Amino acid sequence: MKKIFTKITAFILIAILICACNAVKRVPDGKNLLIKNDIIVNGKSSNDETASNQMYQKPNSNLLGYRLRLNLYNLAKLNPDSTYQAKFKNNPGKYERQSKILSAKQVDRLGQSFLYKGVHEFLKRTGEPPVIIDTSKTKKTLLRLKSYYFNNGYFNVAMNYDIDSVGYKRAKINYNITTGTAYTLDSIRRSISTPALDSLYKTNPEPSILKSGNQFKTSDFEEEKNRITTYFRNHGAYYFQPTYVTFDIDTIGKKNKADINLIIKDNSIQEKDSSRTEPFKLYKISDVNIYTDYSPARAKSKIKDSTTYNNFNLYSYDKLKYKPRAITDAIFISKGGTYADFRTTLSSRYLNNLKIFNYPSIQYEVDKRDSTAQSLIAKVYLTPRKKYSFGATLDLTHSNIQDFGIGASISETIRNVFNRAETLEISARVNVGSSKDMANPNDNFFNVSEYGLDMKLNFPRILMPFGTEKIIPKSMIPSTSIAAGFSKQRNIGLDKESFTGGLSYLWSPKRYNTAKLDLLNAQYVRNLNPDNYFMVYTSSYDELNNIGSVYNINPDYVDSNGNLKINEGTTGFTDDVINDRTALRQQDSEYQEVESIEERRVRLTENDFILATSYTFTKTTKKDLADNTFYQFKTKIESAGTLLSAISSVASLPKNSNGNYDIFNLEYSEYIKTEFDYIKHWDFGKEKVLAVRSFFGIAIPFGNSDYIPFSRSYYSGGSNDNRAWQPYALGPGSTNAVNDFNEANMKLALSGEFRFKIFGDVKGAIFADAGNIWNVLDNVTDEKAKFSSLNDFDEIALGSGFGLRYDLSFFVIRLDLGFKTYNPAHDKGDRWFKEYNFGHSVLNFGINYPF
């Protein structure tokens, strides 16, 4: 097997070398393949990415120095049709012989098949033709570069180029640039014709982008235009545009300095064949008219219903279906107020957030009733969505439990439920999947399932018994959600039923910030098959069975093979050990191991009731999906059980035999949990992105609990975590993942990933993941699993590897191959690269990027 693998590897390497030597296969004689563009500024090579983007010609793309796409293109036949026909033209008898076997029509069609033509078309589409140096494009690049440096203040820039041969039919282009001294801004004056705008300019609290002493940059002038325009349009200048801002730049008699005169002329008005100018006017809003059921087809129809509420005029072509406040709360344009662009934008955002209208439109027209012509009528056109809408989805899923799954859901949305823009969503979902970690192994591929029912009622405001406008004004687009749900799992762990319910508030303190307060978040989890524990957690059973084979004294606890019976034998032997009916005593390590196994069994088979309150804050600078230079910070703090303990204490309720409070004969969980998550992306151009993520989370039990429920604990490993380990297979600490599903109450994770384009929609990545989980301040006694001091940071695991991604636009399919680089489960001094091989690697499948 090793010989075959060696031969295949050698063949691939030889093929690559042959292709590499043939990179100039399609470069005509007397021409050169472009290998590199070198921008030399004042005698030194420059890595200015923006300057590099001025090139009309760029070298063929490469993957780690290898021009894969060029070589794929060179493998293709450029005219496969002619090649196919030439084969028969040179040998007519061959065509006749094949025609007798296949028929002439089939022989002709064979030339259009994938084997003869399709494969070459694929190679041409996937590949990349050679970039041959074109001097006309080189000269055009020089003009672009000159403009680029001129726009950055180098008015006396001089440049030329030369072409250097670097091998047979290969050359690089050197762009030689002498910038001279950059010009700086000297005096800055302004000349604003309209007195009202001049006064506004003086009141602008934002400082000017243009400052004396700064280097001349055209981009600064554009920013200054936008700054001025934004301020003017937010203070009544409805007709003002950036084109009205111009600059007079004077360098006469100056040495590397420029005097700037900012000029804003009066408004230019076009009237038929003539034009005139007049000072800009600052507009007030005279009326706000809202059309609640508008459509283009009804534009000229008669209004049948109308009302006025808080100075808003509401109109309807049919009977008005909304309580006025539901609509007016979403409008930030007010009668008598000054026209402002930001109010229009904010109103559109809020109206969209209601999810009951399609594409709201806000338009303005001059109020003809105003003799001074300084008033605007705001017209808000709202097109309602259907009151009832049905949806269905079918998804392919992958998770830390399921290797592969198919999920389906149906949903019904009811809008404007109580005539105040509320939405009610009712959905049902079912998922069937395949898992190798199932509780009841069988021969079926689909061996796990889950189904559930969810309901969510959303209100576009804060529901509180007291006013919250001063704390959370409507400009923060607040909303309230009341949710309830039920789900049931089969053949997943111990099988579970889960009931959830909650009351939460969501708002946006700033444009790209969100805050969420889960005032009440209740979850009741019931294990349906707790007797199956040792069938699921087999490593715990194996450890207990090994101890039982030595210390068990009751023959009724074992089967014919001498193994502990499940559950009679495991329960009986554990009870004997803990109650000193065996030779084991508390100081013995085996006794402590049995005690630890039993503690974990009780914890994971107990039903859980969690009543939590949490606050989550998220800040991001990401503008849209295409933005690859941004950061995102998310923090969350959660407290569970505190309210129940306070009520129990005040009411002097009795405690159970464990010294804890019960609710519905069930000990509820009590803990405090906090998390910090930071993501940062850098875009280096040419679809190269560096992404990093750091995460820290800790959950501390207290009061009614001495451990964290499984559903609120942390695990490590998997497709979105440390990818060199399977889910739940890393940690805690240096324990070597002794359990089947390893979890703990503290987690640290650090990841870095460099992403790049390979060809087409296929992307690649090189990554490194570090982190681990530990137990801290809970009832776990294993020192290897606990975080006791800063020295335990040497238990941070490191995985590294590479991956492939295929971008389908609406989602990304991801494969990552991770290698254990530093494994804290090994003895110190034996942790680095101990398992750095394909035999111990982990292949993870994922949907979309991990961070």
Side-chain angles (χ1 to χ4, degrees):
M1 186 68 184
K2 288 185 177 179
K3 290 182 178 180
I4 294 174
F5 180 77
T6 303
K7 289 179 180 179
I8 292 173
T9 304
F11 175 79
I12 293 172
L13 289 173
I14 291 169
I16 290 173
L17 286 172
I18 290 172
C19 290
C21 294
N22 211 22
V24 295
K25 175 181 178 180
R26 303 198 187 281
V27 178
D29 291 337
K31 299 290 185 180
N32 287 302
L33 179 71
L34 178 60
I35 299 300
K36 182 182 180 182
N37 288 316
D38 195 2
I39 300 175
I40 303 171
V41 180
N42 299 325
K44 295 182 180 179
S45 290
S46 170
N47 294 320
D48 188 336
E49 183 69 28
T50 308
S52 297
N53 289 335
Q54 310 305 312
M55 303 294 166
Y56 275 94
Q57 282 188 302
K58 295 182 180 181
N60 291 97
S61 59
N62 68 82
L63 176 62
L64 301 177
Y66 176 64
R67 303 183 191 281
L68 175 64
R69 295 187 66 191
L70 170 61
N71 288 310
L72 286 175
Y73 184 88
N74 285 339
L75 288 174
K77 293 179 180 178
L78 299 186
N79 298 298
D81 288 332
S82 301
T83 306
Y84 184 75
Q85 293 168 7
K87 180 172 66 171
F88 297 118
K89 187 176 182 180
N90 297 331
N91 191 353
K94 187 175 183 180
Y95 183 82
E96 293 176 3
R97 287 193 299 273
Q98 290 194 9
S99 298
K100 289 178 182 180
I101 299 172
L102 299 174
S103 83
K105 186 176 181 180
Q106 288 179 322
V107 174
D108 292 338
R109 291 177 62 183
L110 188 62
Q112 301 298 313
S113 67
F114 179 80
L115 183 64
Y116 284 94
K117 184 178 180 179
V119 65
H120 299 289
E121 294 296 327
F122 170 77
L123 288 171
K124 284 193 290 184
R125 286 196 308 269
T126 307
E128 194 176 67
V131 178
I132 298 169
I133 292 177
D134 183 338
T135 54
S136 65
K137 291 182 178 178
T138 304
K139 292 174 182 176
K140 289 170 69 176
T141 296
L142 273 182
L143 293 175
R144 265 193 180 179
L145 285 170
K146 187 171 184 178
S147 177
Y148 168 70
Y149 282 97
F150 186 91
N151 287 332
N152 280 277
Y154 299 102
F155 295 165
N156 300 317
V157 64
M159 57 183 63
N160 58 55
Y161 74 90
D162 58 72
I163 300 174
D164 281 349
S165 175
V166 293
Y168 177 63
K169 290 187 177 182
R170 294 173 171 85
K172 71 172 184 175
I173 304 176
N174 298 318
Y175 294 92
N176 305 301
I177 301 169
T178 303
T179 61
T181 305
Y183 273 69
T184 58
L185 308 185
D186 197 6
S187 66
I188 300 174
R189 297 178 292 110
R190 72 175 186 275
S191 177
I192 302 177
S193 301
T194 303
L197 294 188
D198 191 47
S199 297
L200 267 183
Y201 183 90
K202 296 175 183 176
T203 62
N204 192 343
E206 289 189 9
S208 172
I209 306 296
L210 305 178
K211 294 180 180 178
S212 181
N214 283 3
Q215 183 174 331
F216 180 98
K217 290 185 179 180
T218 302
S219 58
D220 288 347
F221 288 84
E222 291 302 315
E223 281 191 49
E224 180 67 1
K225 279 187 179 185
N226 293 332
R227 184 188 74 91
I228 293 170
T229 302
T230 299
Y231 189 74
F232 284 178
R233 288 186 60 84
N234 281 334
H235 290 80
Y238 175 66
Y239 285 108
F240 194 84
Q241 297 295 332
T243 52
Y244 283 101
V245 183
T246 60
F247 298 94
D248 181 32
I249 301 167
D250 184 9
T251 60
I252 297 175
K254 295 280 185 177
K255 185 177 181 180
N256 301 322
K257 290 186 178 182
D259 291 330
I260 308 300
N261 186 21
L262 184 155
I263 302 171
I264 301 177
K265 296 182 179 180
D266 285 340
N267 190 13
S268 177
I269 300 171
Q270 190 72 31
E271 293 179 337
K272 295 182 180 180
D273 296 330
S274 62
S275 62
R276 62 182 178 85
T277 61
E278 66 175 30
F280 280 97
K281 296 175 181 177
L282 303 184
Y283 288 86
K284 297 278 188 179
I285 303 299
S286 57
D287 272 315
V288 182
N289 298 336
I290 305 169
Y291 300 86
T292 62
D293 55 355
Y294 175 81
S295 69
R298 310 176 81 173
K300 296 182 179 180
S301 301
K302 185 178 179 181
I303 297 295
K304 294 182 179 179
D305 196 1
S306 64
T307 187
T308 298
Y309 178 81
N310 281 354
N311 289 324
F312 292 94
N313 304 318
L314 289 88
Y315 301 100
S316 178
Y317 295 97
D318 294 318
K319 183 175 176 58
L320 187 62
K321 298 178 181 178
Y322 309 95
K323 293 182 179 178
R325 185 178 174 184
I327 307 299
T328 59
D329 274 356
I331 308 297
F332 294 87
I333 308 160
S334 57
K335 182 176 181 179
T338 301
Y339 166 81
D341 263 0
F342 81 91
R343 296 186 180 279
T344 306
T345 303
L346 193 56
S347 299
S348 294
R349 280 182 58 207
Y350 202 124
L351 289 166
N352 273 315
N353 197 62
L354 293 178
K355 299 179 182 179
I356 62 173
F357 299 111
N358 286 318
Y359 313 114
S361 172
I362 302 176
Q363 300 176 15
Y364 297 88
E365 66 177 40
V366 176
D367 191 346
K368 297 178 181 178
R369 299 170 299 179
D370 183 359
S371 58
T372 64
Q374 288 185 266
S375 297
L376 295 174
I377 298 175
K379 295 186 175 182
V380 183
Y381 297 97
L382 304 176
T383 303
R385 296 185 185 184
K386 293 181 180 179
K387 185 175 181 67
Y388 301 95
S389 63
F390 176 81
T393 62
L394 182 66
D395 298 312
L396 300 179
T397 60
H398 169 77
S399 69
N400 56 334
I401 294 176
Q402 295 184 60
D403 302 311
F404 175 79
I406 298 177
S409 67
I410 57 173
S411 62
E412 180 74 17
T413 301
I414 307 172
R415 298 181 177 88
N416 200 33
V417 180
F418 307 119
N419 294 330
R420 290 195 62 182
E422 303 86 356
T423 55
L424 174 64
E425 300 174 24
I426 303 172
S427 62
R429 52 191 164 82
V430 63
N431 181 285
V432 292
S434 174
S435 174
K436 60 178 177 289
D437 294 320
M438 53 188 174
N440 299 303
N442 53 55
D443 295 330
N444 296 329
F445 179 75
F446 291 109
N447 48 32
V448 298
S449 66
E450 181 178 4
Y451 62 86
L453 183 68
D454 299 289
M455 183 201 76
K456 183 179 180 181
L457 181 59
N458 189 75
F459 302 83
R461 54 193 169 276
I462 297 292
L463 289 184
M464 283 279 190
F466 53 86
T468 60
E469 178 67 21
K470 291 183 179 180
I471 305 171
I472 306 174
K474 70 174 187 176
S475 59
M476 293 184 180
I477 314 182
S479 63
T480 302
S481 291
I482 300 174
F486 164 78
S487 67
K488 186 173 182 177
Q489 297 175 343
R490 183 182 67 84
N491 283 358
I492 300 177
L494 306 178
D495 299 341
K496 295 180 185 296
E497 280 183 346
S498 179
F499 300 86
T500 59
L503 171 65
S504 61
Y505 304 101
L506 182 69
W507 66 96
S508 299
K510 292 184 179 179
R511 182 68 175 90
Y512 295 104
N513 298 354
T514 58
K516 183 179 181 182
L517 174 64
D518 284 308
L519 187 63
L520 295 174
N521 186 334
Q523 181 182 35
Y524 171 62
V525 179
R526 185 164 73 98
N527 292 299
L528 303 177
N529 198 3
D531 290 341
N532 208 34
Y533 178 81
F534 285 112
M535 294 290 291
V536 177
Y537 298 89
T538 55
S539 63
S540 294
Y541 172 77
D542 292 340
E543 185 66 26
L544 185 66
N545 192 45
N546 289 336
I547 299 172
S549 65
V550 178
Y551 295 98
N552 177 47
I553 58 175
N554 192 331
D556 293 335
Y557 292 163
V558 298
D559 58 21
S560 58
N561 295 319
N563 295 319
L564 291 174
K565 297 177 182 177
I566 301 175
N567 281 297
E568 178 187 350
T570 54
T571 302
F573 175 64
T574 299
D575 188 65
D576 285 351
V577 171
I578 292 175
N579 289 285
D580 297 330
R581 291 194 290 267
T582 69
L584 291 172
R585 293 296 176 264
Q586 289 188 6
Q587 64 270 22
D588 297 328
S589 60
E590 291 90 346
Y591 180 99
Q592 295 168 8
E593 185 63 31
V594 172
E595 193 175 44
S596 177
I597 292 171
E598 177 63 7
E599 176 276 323
R600 180 174 165 83
R601 186 196 68 80
V602 170
R603 176 160 62 93
L604 297 185
T605 57
E606 273 187 340
N607 299 331
D608 289 326
F609 179 73
I610 303 169
L611 182 63
T613 297
S614 67
Y615 173 78
T616 305
F617 175 79
T618 303
K619 178 181 176 63
T620 182
T621 60
K622 188 169 186 175
K623 304 295 190 298
D624 51 51
L625 291 175
D627 187 356
N628 278 318
T629 299
F630 70 93
Y631 73 85
Q632 176 181 297
F633 173 73
K634 182 178 180 180
T635 184
K636 178 179 180 179
I637 184 167
E638 177 180 323
S639 175
T642 308
L643 177 63
L644 293 176
S645 288
I647 294 173
S648 300
S649 178
V650 170
S652 299
L653 297 179
K655 294 184 177 181
N656 61 21
S657 58
N658 295 326
N660 295 326
Y661 292 115
D662 284 343
I663 182 170
F664 310 123
N665 294 320
L666 180 66
E667 289 185 10
Y668 56 84
S669 298
E670 189 170 10
Y671 61 85
I672 188 165
K673 182 179 184 180
T674 186
E675 296 177 349
F676 302 91
D677 195 355
Y678 180 79
I679 296 172
K680 173 70 175 173
H681 285 205
W682 291 270
D683 191 341
F684 295 105
K686 300 178 183 179
E687 298 191 55
K688 293 181 177 131
V689 176
L690 175 63
V692 298
R693 182 197 182 200
S694 60
F695 175 88
F696 174 76
I698 186 170
I700 301 173
F702 66 96
N704 219 52
S705 300
D706 54 8
Y707 60 83
I708 300 300
F710 185 85
S711 61
R712 293 295 202 270
S713 61
Y714 297 108
Y715 73 92
S716 194
S719 61
N720 295 324
D721 205 273
N722 200 319
R723 286 163 278 185
W725 280 263
Q726 296 284 1
Y728 294 101
L730 174 60
S734 58
T735 59
N736 198 20
V738 293
N739 298 308
D740 298 275
F741 294 91
N742 296 278
E743 40 78 41
N745 65 325
M746 188 177 91
K747 178 176 181 176
L748 178 66
L750 301 166
S751 292
E753 182 171 284
F754 183 69
R755 302 166 185 166
F756 50 87
K757 180 178 180 178
I758 298 178
F759 58 81
D761 292 326
V762 179
K763 313 291 174 63
I766 300 172
F767 62 83
D769 303 318
N772 207 335
I773 55 173
W774 293 269
N775 289 92
V776 59
L777 300 175
D778 62 2
N779 63 347
V780 172
T781 57
D782 187 350
E783 290 298 324
K784 287 186 175 182
K786 294 170 64 176
F787 188 91
S788 304
S789 68
L790 295 179
N791 292 329
D792 290 324
F793 279 127
D794 67 3
E795 295 173 346
I796 293 176
L798 175 64
S800 57
F802 58 89
L804 292 174
R805 293 93 168 83
Y806 187 74
D807 192 344
L808 294 172
S809 297
F810 47 95
F811 69 90
V812 174
I813 296 174
R814 175 167 52 89
L815 288 174
D816 289 317
L817 188 65
F819 299 87
K820 296 177 179 65
T821 309
Y822 178 87
N823 190 348
H826 296 304
D827 293 334
K828 290 184 178 181
D830 201 23
R831 294 175 174 178
W832 283 101
F833 302 106
K834 182 71 174 179
E835 300 166 309
Y836 202 86
N837 52 60
F838 284 99
H840 291 91
S841 64
V842 173
L843 181 64
N844 281 292
F845 170 79
I847 301 295
N848 292 327
Y849 291 105
F851 49 87

